[in-house]
Every structure is written in structure tokens, then in C-alpha cells.
Amino acid sequence: MNFEAHNDDIRKAMLDEIGLSSVEDLFEHLPVKMKSLNLPEPLSEMNAQKELKRIARKNNTDYISFMGGGCYNKFVPAAISQVAQRFEFLTAYTPYQPEISQGTLQIMYEYQSMICMLTGMDVANASVYDGGSACAEAVSMACRISRKHSALVSNKLNPEYKEVVKTYAWGAGINIEWYDELPSDTKEYACVLLQNPDYYGEISLLPQVETLLVVCTTPDSLSLIKPPVEADIVVGDIQTLGIPMSVGGPHAGFMACKEKYMRQLPGRLAGRTIDADGKVAYTLTLQTREQHIRREKATSNICSNQALIALQATLYLSLLGEEGFKQAGIISANNAHKLSQELNKLGIKTETNNFFNEFVVSVDSADKLLTELKNNGILGGIKLSDNKILVCATEMNTEEEIEQYVKCVQSLYCMK
């Protein structure tokens, strides 16, 4: 019996399919001789370090940030990195024999418990890759539950999340219909996915729908806003829970749902039990996942989790506690509303009516205003269009920084 993966007949069939006659033809498009890369002379390790530091000094990292849109400048207690970088935790991936890592499993369990407390849901998984994959997995999950293949998704969802949802849906054969105004009849859809607060910062009442309701939210907003208990599935990104911005990542996504849907929840779930000696033990549970059992009926190809980032989020919530978490939310909201009010006094209209710490303003020229702010050491927001900017404030923004922002805007408008 021939156990060779690719024999000559298989190779010929594959080559015929793509119109080639030999394996060598696959590489004909490559240049025979590489062009010169024009590299400098080699350096010793010491001199290479000096050169890299010289180049790095060209970076300006001292900007005051008023940017949001999915990645936020939040206070991160120093103790988080000190604990998370201990050798017991610091790993590039989650363990494949998790029951021998009781500490990691306990952290997963505590993290899941905290996410449930924040969202008002019954069950949470041990995290997924980011907020976008959490949204996409929720749509897939809703389709499995309802056995329908269409979903309604709000156009006010984070644009990056929208792209991930599109990709997942394309691969799974799910039809996505984007809406600005929610139709009255939603029975034919597997779910309605919306973001609250939405990408533009607007907080809305959750709609009553005749299908599953998936709500994407930011965990820090839940310090002040009522948890979306009306939802069936709640998802989002945990970057606001003590995760540094880190040039845009890595982050982690959270997923939580009502108990009756927990068997369709993708990713890892840690549970607490009693071992043979009567002691508390932690274990992975409900493992209908790709790399464990029932592969053909797996809930997702996500079979792992962002363990280290989930640990950081758990440490953050533990260190701040309920009162500290709420206080950070209050400061963020107060800073954002103060900035909005001061800009309104200058005639710059806030387009977002009800917001937590992120809002849209209308200006004469977004490019001109953002350039002026940047020239004064301020990242003033995200350009949405020629005359609209998404602005965010967090607990990291001081009164002086808010005043500096307003003065820059005032000076520009006075020059007209």
C-alpha cells in the first residue's frame, strides 16, 4: 500500500488543473537573480543597538491622545505587567494539557465570572482573538442556534469589526444585510447584531426583536451603563480592561451568553469542580470544539483563547475593584462631556446626543483641524469625513490637556 501523500499521478492532476506541466513551472515567475538590497555594512551587536536607538529617537511618542474608535488610552496599573510577566504566566500560547495548569485555568474561570458580572449574562468563554472575531463568531453562533443563514448587522458597527464579519460570513455562506434603520420584521433572520455605544459613541435603548439579539459593547462603558441583559449574546473587546494600546494590538475579544445557548459558545470554557480528594479543581468543560471531540460538529475553529491578555483584564478588574472601575468610568465620561461642551461654545456642534466618552463633532475642515492639533502635540481624533471627527476622552486626559485642545481649536477658528 502506498502511503505517500502526493504521488506522481496526484501531482500531475494538480498541475493539469492549473495549466502547468511540471513542479518547476510553479517557480518560473521568480527572478533568477535577486536585485541588490543596498544594505549597509554589517555592524557589531553593540553598534547595531546604538544605530537602532538613533533611529528610534526620530519617533514622537509624546502626543496627547484624544483618539478612540476601538483602541483607547486607558490607565494601566503597574502591578498588571509585574504579575502577568511572571514565568508561571508568560507564554505565547495557551496550554494544550490545561488540567496540569491549574493556575491558568483558575484565571480563566475568574475572568469568565467577571465578564458575566459586567454583562449580566450567565456564561462567558475564556476569550477569543479580538472584538471583530467575537462579533463574527456571535453571528455564526446565532445561525447554528436558529438554523437560519441571514443576519441583520448595524451599519454603526466598528468598521474593522464589519470587515471581519464579512469575511466570516463569506466563508460560512451567511448572508449579511446591513441596516441603518432596523426593520420591523426580524423573524426571518438568525440575529440582529448592533453596537452600544455604537462606533460613533451613541448610546441607544436596545430594540425589541423577534430573533436573537447580539450586542457588541465596550466593557468600560458598563461601569456606568446598565448591562445589556435584554441581549442573548454580548460581545466586544477587552482592550479597555488594562490592556495597553501597543500600536493597535494584540487585544482580546469576550463572548457571553444566556445559559440555554452555552453549548454553542465557541472557544474555551473553564469550569470549577471537585477532584478525587475532595479539593477544588479547575477543568475545561463543554469541549465540543475543533481540537478536542466531535470535530464535524465543532462550534468554531477557535479552540484556544488569549490567556495572557485575559489574565491582564482579570488583574485590572481585581486591582481597581467595583468602586475604582466605576470611578474610572465617571472620570472618562466627565472629561468627554466637558470637552464636548467647551467645543460647543466655540460653535463646533456635537453630533452625538447620548454618549459615554466618545462623540462626533462637525467642523469646517477635518484635515485642517487635526493637522493644527497634531502640530501642537495633540492627536485630536479620527477623521470620519471631510467635516466630521470622532473624538474620545478617557481618565488619562487631564483638565490642562482638555484646555490645550480647546485653545488650539479656538486659535484656528479665530484665524479665519
Side-chain angles (χ1 to χ4, degrees):
M1 185 178 291
N2 186 0
F3 290 100
E4 186 181 2
H6 290 163
N7 57 36
D8 289 340
D9 290 338
I10 292 174
R11 292 190 187 95
K12 185 177 186 308
M14 293 167 68
L15 290 167
D16 288 345
E17 183 68 23
I18 57 176
L20 299 178
S21 57
S22 68
V23 173
E24 287 70 25
D25 290 344
L26 289 167
F27 308 100
E28 276 195 347
H29 66 286
L30 297 176
V32 177
K33 184 178 180 181
M34 293 290 292
K35 293 181 180 178
S36 173
L37 297 178
N38 193 29
L39 295 173
E41 291 297 314
L43 298 173
S44 67
E45 181 180 352
M46 180 179 70
N47 288 329
Q49 288 181 2
K50 288 181 179 180
E51 176 63 12
L52 289 171
K53 288 178 180 178
R54 184 191 69 79
I55 296 170
R57 281 195 291 271
K58 295 180 180 180
N59 293 324
N60 187 344
T61 59
D62 294 327
Y63 286 108
I64 299 166
S65 177
F66 286 90
M67 301 190 64
C71 191
Y72 304 88
N73 184 25
K74 300 286 290 181
F75 173 67
V76 181
I80 291 178
S81 62
Q82 292 300 309
V83 176
Q85 289 178 21
R86 286 183 61 90
F87 73 91
E88 297 97 328
F89 295 120
L90 190 55
T91 174
Y93 213 61
T94 48
Y96 278 102
Q97 293 178 310
E99 277 67 22
I100 67 171
S101 305
Q102 285 292 298
T104 297
L105 283 171
Q106 182 177 355
I107 288 295
M108 287 183 191
Y109 183 81
E110 301 294 348
Y111 163 81
Q112 291 169 189
S113 301
M114 290 178 178
I115 292 297
C116 288
M117 290 174 66
L118 282 177
T119 59
M121 294 289 104
D122 301 319
V123 185
N125 67 14
S127 75
V128 289
Y129 300 136
D130 56 18
S133 62
C135 288
E137 288 287 351
V139 171
S140 298
M141 179 178 168
C143 289
R144 289 194 302 273
I145 293 168
S146 66
R147 298 184 180 180
K148 297 173 183 175
H149 300 283
S150 293
L152 277 169
V153 182
S154 171
N155 265 321
K156 295 179 181 178
L157 187 67
N158 184 306
E160 293 181 2
Y161 298 179
K162 288 167 75 172
E163 292 303 311
V164 179
V165 170
K166 286 178 186 176
T167 302
Y168 265 67
W170 174 81
I174 298 170
N175 176 48
I176 301 295
E177 292 188 23
W178 306 94
Y179 74 88
D180 293 310
E181 295 293 331
L182 188 65
S184 56
D185 185 6
T186 57
K187 291 193 295 291
E188 63 184 280
Y189 300 97
C191 68
V192 172
L193 167 60
L194 57 87
Q195 187 170 345
N196 192 42
D198 64 28
Y199 178 70
Y200 307 104
E202 188 78 45
I203 301 169
S204 305
L205 292 173
L206 296 181
Q208 291 186 339
V209 297
E210 299 170 292
T211 184
L212 296 175
L213 178 61
V214 181
V215 174
C216 174
T217 189
T218 49
D220 62 328
S221 69
L222 300 177
S223 61
L224 300 182
I225 300 171
K226 176 178 171 287
V229 292
E230 302 93 334
D232 297 288
I233 306 170
V234 181
V235 298
D237 200 297
I238 62 173
Q239 187 270 326
T240 57
L241 301 181
I243 314 303
M245 292 186 287
S246 303
V247 201
H251 297 170
F254 72 88
M255 294 188 72
C257 67
K258 292 180 177 174
E259 185 177 0
K260 60 184 175 181
Y261 304 126
M262 66 181 178
R263 290 186 177 275
Q264 290 297 332
L265 196 59
R268 286 185 164 189
L269 281 82
R272 186 171 65 184
T273 186
I274 302 296
D275 67 12
D277 298 321
K279 296 179 181 179
V280 171
Y282 297 89
T283 182
L284 292 185
T285 186
L286 299 176
Q287 296 185 71
T288 53
R289 302 177 217 293
E290 180 263 337
Q291 278 191 331
H292 299 293
I293 58 175
R294 300 175 65 194
R295 293 186 179 187
E296 73 283 0
K297 295 182 179 178
T299 53
S300 168
N301 65 358
I302 285 183
C303 56
S304 185
N305 66 290
Q306 295 276 40
L308 190 64
I309 297 176
L311 165 64
Q312 291 176 271
T314 307
L315 293 168
Y316 174 85
L317 291 169
S318 302
L319 287 165
L320 265 65
E322 187 175 345
E323 288 302 314
F325 183 55
K326 186 174 182 179
Q327 184 181 6
I330 290 171
I331 296 171
S332 292
N334 285 345
N335 285 342
H337 283 263
K338 181 177 180 180
L339 178 57
S340 170
Q341 290 164 7
E342 293 299 319
L343 292 175
N344 290 167
K345 291 176 184 177
L346 299 177
I348 295 177
K349 184 182 176 184
T350 301
E351 298 289 335
T352 316
N353 296 316
N354 303 302
F355 61 91
F356 168 56
N357 69 339
E358 206 162 9
F359 57 95
V360 176
V361 292
S362 293
V363 296
D364 293 339
S365 170
D367 288 330
K368 192 171 182 180
L369 179 55
L370 291 175
T371 300
E372 177 68 18
L373 288 165
K374 189 173 182 180
N375 289 339
N376 284 274
I378 299 172
L379 299 176
I382 298 173
K383 178 184 174 183
L384 300 176
S385 66
D386 290 341
N387 60 358
K388 291 190 188 299
I389 300 172
L390 179 64
V391 183
C392 176
T394 70
E395 70 273 18
M396 294 292 284
N397 297 114
T398 63
E399 288 187 14
E400 292 75 18
E401 290 173 354
I402 293 171
E403 289 175 7
Q404 190 176 340
Y405 190 114
V406 174
K407 283 181 181 178
C408 286
V409 175
Q410 188 175 24
S411 65
L412 181 64
Y413 273 66
C414 286
M415 289 174 2
K416 292 194 301 180

